Amino acid sequence: MADAPDVERCDAARNRALLLDAAALLVTERGVDAVTMEAVATRAGVGKGTVFRRFGSRSGLMHALLDHTERELQDAFMYGPPPLGPGAGPIDRLVAYGRARLGMVEVQGDVLRAVEVSPELRFGGPARQVSLTHVVTLLRAAGTTGDLSLLAQSLLAPLEATLVLHQVRDLHMPIERIADAWEDLARRVTAA
């Protein structure tokens, strides 16, 4: 009987991952508007009540989905293989980070944009702070001078979902063009 709480935690973690994977697939296949609590439950093969108990609301589900995606990116740049992870030079890592962030926006942009509506999450949320710290650390390691915090914020601004989605959808810019221009900007900022 002593193992029962651990089994519940494992089941809860498995259900959470199952629900988030189902939500991510729905976003990819049909867009963020298709992500309803009922659609996620159906895709995951669970009852709708399970989704509500786990996330509380659609907004709670969207925040959890974003958190899940952000953690994957964070794991990649903290522990993954180079050039995004440790082992590459700081400028190569910075460029890889920007490209990875743009790739994330390409797949989950509507979810990211939905969260960007909230100024406290857009600029002060934990995921934003981790990204900001990472970019500042890379700028410092590259020997960049100046106000590193402001430079990092300036480098992150063109990676925001609202702008990137506008560029891709309304201005019909290929994501590769945006990524190449961001790399050019990052390399100019870090040039000695």
Side-chain angles (χ1 to χ4, degrees):
M1 252 348 220
D3 291 336
D6 288 338
V7 171
E8 289 175 359
R9 276 182 250 151
C10 289
D11 287 347
R14 187 176 61 242
N15 283 342
R16 182 180 186 343
L18 180 71
L19 293 168
L20 291 173
D21 288 344
L25 284 171
L26 285 169
V27 168
T28 301
E29 293 171 2
R30 301 185 208 160
V32 74
D33 292 336
V35 181
T36 64
M37 301 300 256
E38 187 170 340
V40 170
T42 300
R43 174 58 68 95
V46 301
K48 188 162 85 170
T50 301
V51 184
F52 276 100
R53 276 190 303 280
R54 189 67 179 127
F55 301 106
S57 65
R58 183 179 185 275
S59 177
L61 174 63
M62 292 293 104
H63 284 283
L65 182 58
L66 178 58
D67 182 59
H68 179 70
T69 304
E70 286 286 350
R71 285 180 193 270
E72 288 177 345
L73 179 59
Q74 291 169 10
D75 283 347
F77 71 67
M78 288 192 289
Y79 310 112
L84 184 56
I91 297 171
D92 290 337
R93 290 189 70 200
L94 180 63
V95 168
Y97 171 80
R99 289 185 178 278
R101 171 66 66 184
L102 286 168
M104 187 173 137
V105 172
E106 189 174 29
V107 174
Q108 301 239 347
D110 288 317
V111 175
L112 290 161
R113 185 173 58 182
V115 172
E116 285 178 1
V117 175
S118 168
E120 61 276 357
L121 290 176
R122 182 178 189 180
F123 300 114
R128 172 69 173 210
Q129 294 309 309
V130 170
S131 292
L132 187 61
T133 299
H134 179 61
V135 173
V136 166
T137 301
L138 293 175
L139 290 173
R140 186 174 292 115
T144 306
T145 59
D147 187 334
L148 298 185
S149 179
L150 187 56
L151 287 173
Q153 291 174 30
S154 298
L155 283 170
L156 290 175
L159 303 175
E160 290 187 17
T162 303
L163 176 60
V164 173
L165 292 177
H166 168 69
Q167 291 169 326
V168 169
R169 294 176 180 169
D170 301 330
L171 302 178
H172 309 289
M173 293 181 182
I175 197 79
E176 297 81 18
R177 177 181 172 196
I178 297 166
D180 290 345
W182 190 88
E183 178 177 345
D184 181 54
L185 175 64
R187 290 189 184 281
R188 288 173 189 256
V189 166
T190 56

